[in-house]
Amino acid sequence: MSTEDNLLGLIIEPDQLAPLLGDERLLIIDVPARGDSYREGHVPGAVFLDHTRLMAGSNGLVANDVPDEEALSALFSSLGLTRDTHVVAYDDEGGGWAGRLLWTLELMGHTRYSYLNGGIHAWRGDDHPVETEDTLPTASDYQAEIRNAALAMDADAIRERIEDTDFAIWDARSPDEYNGVKGKNRHLGHIPGAINIEWTEAMDPARQYRLRDYAELVTLLGARGLSPEMDIVTHCQSHHRSGFTWLVGRALGYEHISAYPGSWADWGNRDDTPIES
């Protein structure tokens, strides 16, 4: 992401966003896990996005896969997005749904975006004001196009590379899901060779769920076997938690990180995918 093309950096703090409220170049999007949290108090001017609209079951795909271009065009037009708009995304849980939104923008080649570090928890924790009334966006005519298809891997692409030493799979689920102790899929366990780093390990609850210190994150990922030189694909159950881990990788400068939107809901419900537990 070129800083010359962006009003703000990839990861921003509440104090950076606060003086820019009302700037017409910004589109602030609240993507809460719990819809009521938006009306309990959101960043002034933020529009609400139902996170289910970032997922689709069209074209025979699993329900958490990427919506088609027509659906994405309708979604982002309804939010008032233009190619010149800089999106600031946040949520109420530490970055999962915000990350999924930003990954979708990157998939479309829309690189003007930022994540509000810690989301609404950090915003409130830093004593910034909130609104409870809905912000109604002015619709646009955004024509979505998948311009960065390599950002999304499917099961076939992963199977082709599963033995490659320069390829790694970051499983963002809980250890119980990874080990096949918990889950609602036809098959439980994990993709062979996948590295389990639960998404919450990258958050700092003591700092309103902001990303952990970058040096700590680099050490954590490196100790588990994930390095910036590798091609990394991240997944969870539905590419929700892995929306955050994808964002973490980007924040750390991991340029070759993609995601598996089908995630375990796809892999664990097929009969042609290898599984370990």
Side-chain angles (χ1 to χ4, degrees):
M1 184 171 60
S2 170
T3 55
E4 295 178 358
D5 296 333
N6 284 278
L7 181 62
L8 293 162
L10 175 58
I11 309 296
I12 63 169
E13 294 295 329
D15 286 347
Q16 292 175 275
L17 177 60
L20 294 173
L21 295 182
D23 192 316
E24 294 183 353
R25 296 170 292 178
L26 288 181
L27 175 60
I28 307 172
I29 303 179
D30 186 332
V31 201
R34 186 174 56 85
D36 288 347
S37 74
Y38 176 79
R39 293 178 179 87
E40 290 168 359
H42 55 83
V43 174
V47 300
F48 170 77
L49 171 57
D50 179 347
H51 60 75
T52 63
R53 296 190 68 188
L54 295 170
M55 311 167 85
S58 61
N59 300 323
L61 303 174
V62 292
N64 46 282
D65 219 312
V66 183
D68 60 29
E69 291 178 346
E70 182 179 358
L72 290 173
S73 294
L75 169 60
F76 289 110
S77 292
S78 72
L79 295 173
L81 184 66
T82 72
R83 284 288 170 187
D84 295 325
T85 303
H86 188 107
V87 172
V88 175
Y90 73 91
D91 58 37
D92 59 346
E93 59 168 8
W97 288 119
R100 170 78 187 227
L101 168 59
L102 298 184
W103 175 83
T104 303
L105 290 175
E106 183 72 25
L107 189 70
M108 299 188 309
H110 190 107
T111 58
R112 293 181 171 91
Y113 59 74
S114 301
Y115 169 61
L116 178 61
N117 200 9
I120 195 64
H121 297 293
W123 183 264
R124 289 173 176 159
D126 287 0
D127 295 322
H128 291 292
V130 297
E131 289 181 344
T132 55
E133 296 296 321
D134 291 6
T135 299
L136 302 178
T138 301
S140 62
D141 183 19
Y142 191 90
Q143 298 301 309
E145 180 183 352
I146 304 299
R147 298 182 176 182
N148 191 9
L151 202 66
M153 293 189 74
D154 61 16
D156 291 338
I158 291 173
R159 281 187 304 188
E160 288 179 4
R161 298 209 58 190
I162 205 167
E163 301 291 339
D164 292 357
T165 57
D166 61 346
F167 177 70
I169 301 163
W170 179 353
D171 187 331
R173 297 176 301 158
S174 69
D176 279 353
E177 291 170 284
Y178 177 83
N179 291 318
V181 176
K182 177 182 177 181
K184 297 180 180 180
N185 308 280
R186 209 158 62 232
H187 309 291
L188 304 182
H190 59 266
I191 300 173
I195 295 166
N196 183 215
I197 307 176
E198 189 172 5
W199 69 312
T200 55
E201 291 193 60
M203 301 176 194
D204 187 352
R207 297 175 55 244
Q208 293 87 36
Y209 297 95
R210 287 173 167 89
L211 275 70
R212 285 174 58 180
D213 178 81
Y214 282 15
E216 291 181 8
L217 286 172
V218 169
T219 300
L220 169 66
L221 268 60
R224 303 285 183 88
L226 298 177
S227 67
E229 298 78 22
M230 305 178 82
D231 290 334
I232 299 171
V233 63
T234 185
H235 80 88
C236 56
Q237 171 68 21
S238 61
H239 190 31
H240 155 219
R241 291 169 283 182
S242 55
F244 177 66
T245 51
W246 173 82
L247 180 62
V248 169
R250 291 301 299 268
L252 295 178
Y254 284 47
E255 296 181 1
H256 308 293
I257 185 166
S258 59
Y260 174 21
S263 281
W264 198 258
D266 179 44
W267 194 278
N269 284 311
R270 298 171 60 141
D271 295 321
D272 62 346
T273 46
I275 292 173
E276 291 180 345
S277 59

